[in-house]
Amino acid sequence: MRVRLPRTADGHAGAYDRAGRRAVVLRAQAAPDVPSLLLRPWCEQDVAALIEAYQEPAMRRWAGSAMETDADAARWVQAQRQGWATGTRFAFAVLATRPGSSADHLVGNVVLKEVSAGKPFAEVGYWTTARARGRGVASRALEVLTRWAFDTFGGDGLERLELLHQVDNPASCRVAEKCRYAFDRVLPAAPPAFPLDGHLHTRHKDV
């Protein structure tokens, strides 16, 4: 499973669907007091915003990695691009957009990972920037990603998506429930990457 990464008209790195027909750019419509969201593959222009997002202590805690320099962020972006190229990991930068404004700003990341043809399940994940939390960004972006995942890979056997988080992150439970990812079971801790027990939430294609 491979996708190409050409440049879109605005200079961003785009990703074509498996038939090579169009750039993968997803959108969530605006809601009351909440801007519309644009989801697109990560690109080099995102490096500065990525470093800024990682300055927050909570981001460092949940992400489990540091992002101190341009080189750190550039390596991370390149890893996301490589995931698109191999067809195993599909990460989208989530941008808030407003009518009449050309200045989109980064509010988060959503990712579909561990994808393989014939494999019945894959994993989703997300994070949001500090300023975007509590505004429905995570749930709206995750819902868009979920629909795209099943539409795109359901024909290859994808039947179930899994969302994992540590037990001390109740906000992720709320996002999962809002997006119809049902609680499945408690997962045992796996230090050092996962020092606490976790929750596994799942959503099936027909939900």
Side-chain angles (χ1 to χ4, degrees):
M1 218 185 295
R2 286 184 175 272
V3 292
R4 293 182 290 122
L5 290 171
R7 292 282 172 180
T8 57
D10 62 0
H12 289 136
Y16 276 66
D17 65 14
R18 290 173 299 155
R21 291 188 296 264
R22 58 180 174 79
V24 178
V25 176
L26 310 176
R27 296 181 184 274
Q29 296 302 312
D33 301 319
V34 181
S36 60
L37 301 177
L38 182 147
L39 285 65
R40 59 150 173 80
W42 288 85
C43 61
E44 288 85 352
Q45 291 95 320
D46 298 319
V47 163
L50 188 59
I51 293 174
E52 181 181 354
Y54 268 77
Q55 298 311 301
E56 186 209 5
M59 270 289 292
R60 294 169 181 264
R61 175 187 178 191
W62 297 122
S65 60
M67 200 81 67
E68 299 284 357
T69 67
D70 285 0
D72 293 336
R75 280 192 295 270
W76 188 89
V77 169
Q78 182 56 38
Q80 311 319 304
R81 291 168 60 87
Q82 183 63 23
W84 279 93
T86 59
T88 57
R89 180 184 177 93
F90 303 92
F92 292 85
V94 181
L95 308 176
T97 66
R98 292 189 181 279
S101 173
S102 60
D104 300 341
H105 62 278
L106 180 70
V107 292
N109 169 68
V110 288
V111 59
L112 172 69
K113 50 190 174 181
E114 299 183 14
V115 181
S116 179
K119 184 180 175 182
F121 64 92
E123 185 181 342
V124 295
Y126 73 90
W127 51 256
T128 53
T129 62
R131 289 183 294 178
R133 290 179 202 138
R135 302 173 59 196
V137 168
S139 57
R140 292 165 66 219
L142 177 59
E143 182 62 30
V144 170
L145 177 74
T146 298
R147 293 198 306 266
W148 176 78
F150 284 133
D151 288 347
T152 304
F153 301 105
D156 290 328
L158 180 65
E159 299 175 354
R160 184 178 80 253
L161 293 174
E162 299 181 344
L163 172 65
L164 291 74
H165 67 83
Q166 289 195 155
V167 295
D168 61 342
N169 188 356
S172 280
C173 263
R174 292 192 292 271
V175 170
E177 291 166 358
K178 193 169 184 179
C179 292
R180 292 170 288 163
Y181 279 75
F183 175 74
D184 185 277
R185 64 183 184 274
V186 174
L187 301 174
F194 301 99
L196 301 177
D197 289 350
H199 284 179
L200 171 65
H201 297 261
T202 63
R203 177 164 161 178
H204 292 265
K205 184 170 63 173
D206 57 354
V207 172

